[in-house]
Each structure stands twice: as structure tokens, then as C-alpha cells.
Amino acid sequence: MTFPEAVEAELRRARETYPGRQHSAHEGFSVLYEEVDELWDEVRAKQTDRNHAAMLKELIQVAAMAQRMAEDVIIPKIVEQIR
């Protein structure tokens, strides 16, 4: 599976688990920040103790939540402004 495929699968899973749209930039940022913070936990471990599989999992979640925030919150606002 490629990284983009993994992100797509994670985004699909997240939408099934948490249906509906994110309602605001604050909500989207909060979810995204949680995933970045979990990635940071892995990154700050000693190099010899890092779990690279866990890092990849968190990167996939960060990318998926960034895409969800863009699709649910930001892009609709841009489209709304254009109209």
C-alpha cells in the first residue's frame, strides 16, 4: 500500500467512526493537533528507541486529518466566498 492509499483508507475509517463534518477550524485544528502531538511523542524518543511503524501510522493520521479539515472546513469556506 502506498502512503496516499493509506491516507485515503485512514480518512475513510475516520469518517465512518466519526460521521458528519468537522464544524469549525478550531475543531479541525484540535483533531489535527492531537495527531501531531502523538507523532511528536514518537519523534522525541531516543533514536535507538523509535518505533518507525508507529511514526508512519501517526504520519498517516496527520495527513488524513489535514485532508479532512481542508475538505470539511476550509474548502467550503473558500467556495462560499467565491459565490
Side-chain angles (χ1 to χ4, degrees):
M1 178 179 292
T2 67
F3 185 79
E5 290 169 340
V7 172
E8 183 180 336
E10 176 60 24
L11 181 57
R12 189 171 37 254
R13 185 201 64 75
R15 287 194 185 282
E16 289 170 1
T17 305
Y18 305 101
R21 296 187 158 283
Q22 292 178 340
H23 297 96
S24 67
H26 283 94
E27 180 182 357
F29 179 79
S30 174
V31 173
L32 183 57
Y33 182 82
E34 178 184 345
E35 299 305 337
V36 170
D37 195 45
E38 290 171 1
L39 173 61
W40 177 233
D41 287 341
E42 297 296 333
V43 169
R44 69 178 171 208
K46 287 166 96 177
Q47 275 191 335
T48 54
D49 295 337
R50 283 186 185 150
N51 181 336
H52 291 93
M55 289 175 73
L56 180 58
K57 178 183 173 193
E58 295 304 333
L59 283 167
I60 291 165
Q61 291 176 340
V62 166
M65 292 308 97
Q67 183 174 342
R68 186 168 190 177
M69 182 179 176
E71 292 176 354
D72 287 1
V73 180
I74 305 306
I75 293 171
K77 292 292 185 189
I78 292 170
V79 170
E80 189 178 294
Q81 290 173 347
I82 294 171
R83 292 183 186 173

